[in-house]
Amino acid sequence: MVDDSATHAEKYGEIRDGVLQLRFADETNSVHAINAAEVADVLQGLVEFTSDMAKQGLFGDGMPPEVRVRPVKEGSFVVEALIQWAAENPDAAAAISGTVGGVVTKAFDIGLKKLRGDEPTDIEYLDNGNVKLQWPGSGVNEVPRSVWQRLNTMKRPTRTALRKMMAPLSDEADRMELRDGEVDQPTAELMAAAPDAVATRSEYREAAAEVDEVSEEVETFTAEAKLQSIDFRPGQKWRVQTASATRLATIEDEDFLRGLDEGTSLHKNDIFQVTIREVRTITNGRTTTDWSLVNAERTRRGTDDGDALAPRAS
């Protein structure tokens, strides 16, 4: 007979609801006030980071955890987030055990290491779909592979969420301490334990730095086209009209240009078979498209074009 509970534990692990404590302090432990907007950023950043990691499978399948804030019983700037998840997702936990706050802390710790420029000394891909990361100084993290990929590339939404979580480090505080614990653990007991992760101003500055996300896609295609806006000056682009689009294009067909230099005339409605290299550059989600005409052969001369087109003066 199969032990269903053992099979479930091996497959899913056991993630419990938990508390993630974020404590902001300076070198003398005398932080008495923190900008309210920065506290709002901390909470928003925690929600965004948890959601971002949930999309990458940090908690398995299902909805992301719900982040709630519980009041502290003594004065200090401690943010305690009650992260509820397991009760509503009993069969969807990732193959990582512990509290959900602890799982978030592991991911946050990897994010801090990447902001510092640390690289793992060893990467082991496990059979359960996770990746085990060995860091300098014997530190070890285990997270789903997609989570590691997300944190390793440090996409803008991830960087923004980390920056928001560390917002008080921009002025009031010198460090942020993260501790995870059980739901019924009191604040004083949590604070008495060593932090699970510590962020400083340098990590905040790195997360806040403007870093463009740039990717490039290249496609080469053929089409029928008309050539317009002819300009023989070096580096000038011509307007190329195809059935689907009209764009300025750099002319790279040296044989075509040489023929024009030797007296080949162009007419208004000439039709060409062209080969176009299209480069799409995506910067922070915005796309720019550039064309280069790498080959052009006239296939049909216009019948109603009148005189040959004269190139622009150089």
Side-chain angles (χ1 to χ4, degrees):
M1 183 174 179
V2 178
D3 184 344
D4 291 336
S5 61
T7 302
H8 182 278
E10 291 174 2
K11 183 177 180 180
Y12 296 109
E14 295 180 359
I15 296 181
R16 306 179 303 281
D17 290 349
V19 172
L20 179 62
Q21 184 188 82
L22 300 87
R23 177 176 181 265
F24 296 92
D26 63 11
E27 297 301 327
T28 61
N29 287 321
S30 59
V31 173
H32 300 296
I34 287 181
N35 184 287
E38 292 175 354
V39 175
D41 269 349
V42 171
L43 296 175
Q44 185 178 19
L46 178 57
V47 171
E48 290 176 3
F49 183 71
T50 303
S51 178
D52 188 28
M53 293 299 100
K55 291 176 183 178
Q56 307 310 313
L58 181 60
F59 312 102
D61 302 323
M63 299 293 290
E66 180 182 10
V67 179
R68 302 172 64 86
V69 179
R70 74 177 188 184
V72 295
K73 297 181 180 179
E74 58 186 57
S76 68
F77 276 93
V78 174
V79 176
E80 288 189 347
L82 177 63
I83 309 183
Q84 297 177 317
W85 184 83
E88 297 183 5
N89 299 268
D91 297 322
I96 301 175
S97 297
T99 66
V100 65
V103 174
V104 173
T105 300
K106 290 177 183 178
F108 184 87
D109 186 50
I110 294 173
L112 287 182
K113 288 179 169 67
K114 294 304 299 181
L115 290 174
R116 295 177 190 134
D118 294 348
E119 295 295 337
T121 56
D122 185 65
I123 300 176
E124 181 182 357
Y125 293 95
L126 305 177
D127 292 338
N128 62 5
N130 293 340
V131 58
K132 185 177 181 180
L133 306 166
Q134 180 77 44
W135 299 91
S138 72
V140 177
N141 296 109
E142 181 181 333
V143 291
R145 296 181 193 181
S146 53
V147 171
W148 163 237
Q149 182 179 16
R150 181 75 169 185
L151 292 167
N152 189 41
T153 55
M154 196 55 67
K155 298 290 187 180
R156 181 175 287 263
T158 305
R159 183 182 290 269
T160 299
L162 291 171
R163 173 186 60 77
K164 288 181 177 180
M165 287 178 68
M166 297 185 287
L169 297 178
S170 65
D171 50 19
E172 303 290 353
D174 296 313
R175 71 182 184 275
M176 180 181 80
E177 301 170 353
L178 265 71
R179 297 172 175 85
D180 76 274
E182 302 290 345
V183 172
D184 58 356
Q185 240 179 311
T187 296
E189 184 177 324
L190 280 171
M191 292 180 64
D196 297 294
V198 178
T200 64
R201 287 180 187 269
S202 62
E203 282 84 50
Y204 171 81
R205 286 194 292 267
E206 184 61 35
E210 291 293 331
V211 177
D212 289 334
E213 291 185 3
V214 181
S215 62
E216 189 175 272
E217 300 172 351
V218 181
E219 179 184 1
T220 301
F221 63 92
T222 59
E224 282 195 337
K226 292 181 180 180
L227 305 183
Q228 305 170 337
S229 302
I230 301 168
D231 193 334
F232 289 105
R233 291 177 297 176
Q236 296 303 307
K237 296 182 177 182
W238 294 12
R239 190 172 299 278
V240 177
Q241 179 185 12
T242 69
S244 60
T246 300
R247 294 187 184 279
L248 292 174
T250 302
I251 309 301
E252 296 183 356
D253 188 339
E254 296 295 338
D255 291 338
F256 172 73
L257 292 174
R258 188 179 303 110
L260 296 178
D261 288 340
E262 294 173 353
T264 301
S265 60
L266 297 178
H267 301 80
K268 183 178 180 181
N269 292 320
D270 287 348
I271 304 297
F272 293 82
Q273 184 73 16
V274 298
T275 300
I276 295 172
R277 182 175 65 252
E278 180 177 273
V279 179
R280 295 182 295 275
T281 304
I282 302 95
T283 305
N284 301 331
R286 294 187 175 184
T287 302
T288 57
T289 303
D290 291 306
W291 277 5
S292 296
L293 192 150
V294 297
N295 182 260
E297 295 182 8
R298 182 161 53 189
T299 58
R300 188 167 68 251
R301 177 171 171 168
T303 57
D304 60 344
D305 51 295
D307 294 335
L309 292 174
R312 296 179 183 177
S314 60

